[in-house]
Amino acid sequence: MCGTDGQVLLIKPSNPSSVSPAPDEPTDHRPSDSIINLDHGDPTMYESYWKVVGQKYTSITIPGFQSLSYFANKKNMCWFLEPKLEEEIKRLHKIVGNAIVENRHIVVGTGSSQLILAALYALSDPLNEPNPISVVSAAPYYSVSPDQSSSNCCFHLEIYVYTKLKSEVNFAKIANFTVMGQTVSSAESYPETTDFLRSGLFKWSGDARCFNKEGPYIEMVTYPNNPDGVIREPVVNRADGKLIHDLAYYWPQYTAITSPADHDIILFTVSKCTGHAGSRIGWALVRNENIARKMVKFIEINTIGVSKEAQLRAANILETVSLSCQRHKPRDLENFFECSQRLMAERWKKLREVVDNTELFFVPKFPIQFCNFTRDFTETYPAFAWLKCKEGMDCEKLLEGHKILTRSGRRFGSGAEYVRISMLSRDEEFDLFLQRLLVVGDNNN
């Protein structure tokens, strides 16, 4: 069932003959000397599964008269959340058992990027602090490479964010600046996301383990952690702290589901759950109603909601995943998580074999745990490999010399001997990476 190429969702108008779908077909043959970009986590590995699934389960029709209104459900606090997506989010979490959805408010956003900002705003605004609230995360923390912030363009941005002062709603211009450089990237990260708008409400304060400033703070807790795959817990642990749990990778293909997550704010995204990064759909499970309302208000002011077409596609994909997990599922529909876990296990096995054949590289080992979803013991297979070179080596530069682009550990608050490598590329690209990594190891033994 785990096939070999990509699948495309057909979104049809009321007259299907007027549109000819244009699938984004992956390149079948890559030159042996081409650059391999494993810096970002573009989840193209999942194309193989979705192409085999095909249009039978994943095609939807959206007539031209449908979804014109801004509103999806006026009775819902999150008035732009499509009811079908809300239903499928709850259904999938209950099937997998990775998060509690009862008595939680669901807030949909344009990926995790928007939801992180919405949560930071919702937590910091009510505090009315004279100085920005510190935002921290334990190193190595999620970060972005320096050349992904911008390139070959110049943007003049005037950013407006909703604020509340003396019970009156105002729009405060909090940033007015020029961004110059190279290509603008869609990748977000904790430091860049926190500080990009130069907000007066919050600011990035670095490694949670080194944080000793008095007063309120917000800690980002990620598990499994990006980049090293470790299951994280809060580090600072003070009464005046607020937590945001980023659980983008808490799915069975990456790690054992040991218990349903039960936190105040939990972030998920279809990007790493199903591989549909281009749909830009994420969601937050929020315990407190007031916090959820502030997150909704942020998104309302920021983008006036979230694309209905993207939500409907995400709902359809999640519905298919849930169907594939049923005991009496269709015979032609393989369990998505079993297939994906098998692919991840195979890739990690191949990577460890290459690493074990050199004295140059090291990758972390993870404990075997019982997974409540699979009802079996399993290892952790992170979406990224936290690769370490020998002490004193710049691993990013070493691999770049062999046309392998990675992200330096320095970007995550760690040393230059570390790099983060995506494990989610297409098969051909991943196999070529392993071949080159073996050559690098042989040449430096």
Side-chain angles (χ1 to χ4, degrees):
M1 185 62 170
C2 296
T4 55
D5 269 331
Q7 173 274 330
V8 169
L9 168 71
L10 301 180
I11 300 179
K12 307 174 186 176
S14 54
N15 180 12
S17 61
S18 66
V19 172
S20 177
D24 179 18
E25 291 292 344
T27 302
D28 292 328
H29 299 290
R30 171 182 293 271
S32 59
D33 61 345
S34 62
I35 294 175
I36 303 173
N37 190 345
L38 300 178
D39 171 275
H40 51 270
D42 202 18
T44 50
M45 177 193 79
Y46 291 103
E47 288 175 342
S48 58
Y49 177 87
W50 291 110
K51 182 168 185 180
V52 174
V53 169
Q55 299 178 12
K56 178 179 178 180
Y57 296 102
T58 59
S59 295
I60 62 173
T61 299
I62 302 180
F65 60 83
Q66 184 177 334
S67 300
L68 270 65
S69 173
Y70 287 112
F71 300 93
N73 183 0
K74 293 182 179 180
K75 296 181 180 180
N76 194 334
M77 177 197 304
C78 188
W79 51 267
F80 44 84
L81 170 60
E82 284 289 332
K84 180 64 175 176
L85 179 58
E86 180 179 21
E87 174 187 340
E88 294 305 330
I89 287 172
K90 291 180 177 179
R91 181 187 179 196
L92 185 59
H93 280 306
K94 289 178 180 178
I95 289 173
V96 175
N98 61 342
I100 292 176
V101 293
E102 290 80 8
N103 301 316
R104 296 295 188 275
H105 304 282
I106 298 179
V107 180
V108 66
T110 305
S112 292
S113 315
Q114 188 179 43
L115 290 168
I116 290 173
L117 283 173
L120 290 175
Y121 164 73
L123 292 175
S124 59
D125 181 62
L127 299 176
N128 292 318
E129 288 290 311
N131 298 312
I133 304 300
S134 296
V135 180
V136 299
S137 185
Y141 42 72
Y142 177 32
S143 189
V144 70
S145 59
D147 63 346
Q148 283 190 306
S149 57
S150 57
S151 90
N152 287 331
C153 26
C154 170
F155 295 93
H156 186 67
L157 305 177
E158 290 189 343
I159 310 297
Y160 293 84
V161 169
Y162 167 90
T163 61
K164 193 172 184 180
L165 179 62
K166 296 182 180 179
S167 300
E168 295 181 359
V169 175
N170 299 290
F171 293 99
K173 184 167 68 175
I174 65 167
N176 188 338
F177 54 91
T178 300
V179 179
M180 301 189 66
Q182 304 183 11
T183 306
V184 173
S185 169
S186 62
E188 92 279 3
S189 68
Y190 298 151
E192 284 77 6
T193 298
T194 303
D195 284 346
F196 188 72
L197 299 185
R198 301 178 186 177
S199 171
L201 293 176
F202 47 81
K203 68 175 183 179
W204 177 249
S205 295
D207 189 351
R209 294 188 180 90
C210 302
F211 182 71
N212 55 12
K213 180 181 177 181
E214 295 297 325
Y217 66 92
I218 300 172
E219 183 175 352
M220 301 292 304
V221 182
T222 310
Y223 68 84
N225 188 46
N226 176 359
D228 60 3
V230 174
I231 300 298
R232 285 283 185 81
E233 293 183 355
V235 171
V236 182
N237 291 314
R238 292 205 313 245
D240 51 358
K242 305 291 184 181
L243 302 177
I244 300 174
H245 283 79
D246 186 348
L247 271 58
Y249 302 94
Y250 192 48
W251 295 100
Q253 67 267 48
Y254 304 120
T255 190
I257 306 301
T258 56
S259 63
D262 182 14
H263 308 293
D264 290 339
I265 302 176
I266 308 175
L267 307 182
F268 289 97
T269 169
V270 295
S271 299
K272 300 307 186 290
C273 173
T274 70
H276 292 82
S279 294
R280 308 308 307 132
I281 292 294
W283 64 92
L285 303 178
V286 186
R287 191 195 308 270
N288 183 278
E289 180 178 342
N290 292 330
I291 296 298
R293 287 188 182 278
K294 279 191 168 290
M295 291 180 67
V296 168
K297 176 54 77 173
F298 179 93
I299 296 171
E300 175 186 330
I301 299 302
N302 187 220
T303 53
I304 320 180
V306 177
S307 167
K308 289 186 175 183
E309 287 81 3
Q311 289 190 63
L312 292 172
R313 184 191 189 195
N316 175 264
I317 293 297
L318 296 184
E319 181 180 26
T320 303
V321 172
S322 293
L323 178 62
S324 77
C325 297
Q326 300 299 315
R327 178 177 299 179
H328 301 294
K329 63 178 179 62
R331 290 186 177 181
D332 60 344
L333 186 62
E334 184 177 3
N335 186 301
F336 171 78
F337 293 116
E338 289 180 358
C339 176
S340 302
Q341 186 191 60
R342 186 166 63 251
L343 287 174
M344 293 301 299
E346 290 173 355
R347 291 190 171 200
W348 271 95
K349 180 182 178 182
K350 291 178 180 179
L351 176 61
R352 291 190 185 281
E353 288 174 350
V354 171
V355 169
D356 290 344
N357 282 326
T358 76
E359 297 180 359
L360 178 63
F361 300 119
F362 308 90
V363 289
K365 294 183 178 180
F366 304 97
I368 296 177
Q369 294 179 296
F370 185 80
C371 178
N372 293 329
F373 173 75
T374 61
R375 309 304 300 172
D376 198 1
F377 287 91
T378 183
E379 293 184 38
T380 295
Y381 306 110
F384 297 98
W386 190 233
L387 186 74
K388 182 182 180 182
C389 290
K390 286 182 177 180
E391 296 292 338
M393 297 190 70
D394 189 324
C395 202
E396 181 186 33
K397 288 186 177 180
L398 173 65
L399 296 178
E400 186 178 354
H402 293 263
K403 297 185 177 181
I404 303 172
L405 302 185
T406 60
R407 192 171 301 180
S408 173
R410 290 173 295 189
R411 297 296 300 166
F412 301 89
S414 297
E417 67 271 20
Y418 288 96
V419 292
R420 192 196 74 169
I421 297 173
S422 173
M423 298 289 287
L424 302 179
S425 61
R426 296 186 179 103
D427 287 339
E428 183 181 19
E429 190 172 46
F430 184 76
D431 290 340
L432 186 56
F433 155 67
L434 292 179
Q435 294 173 20
R436 292 188 189 175
L437 192 66
L438 186 59
V439 171
V440 176
D442 290 342
N443 291 343
N444 288 272
N445 276 340

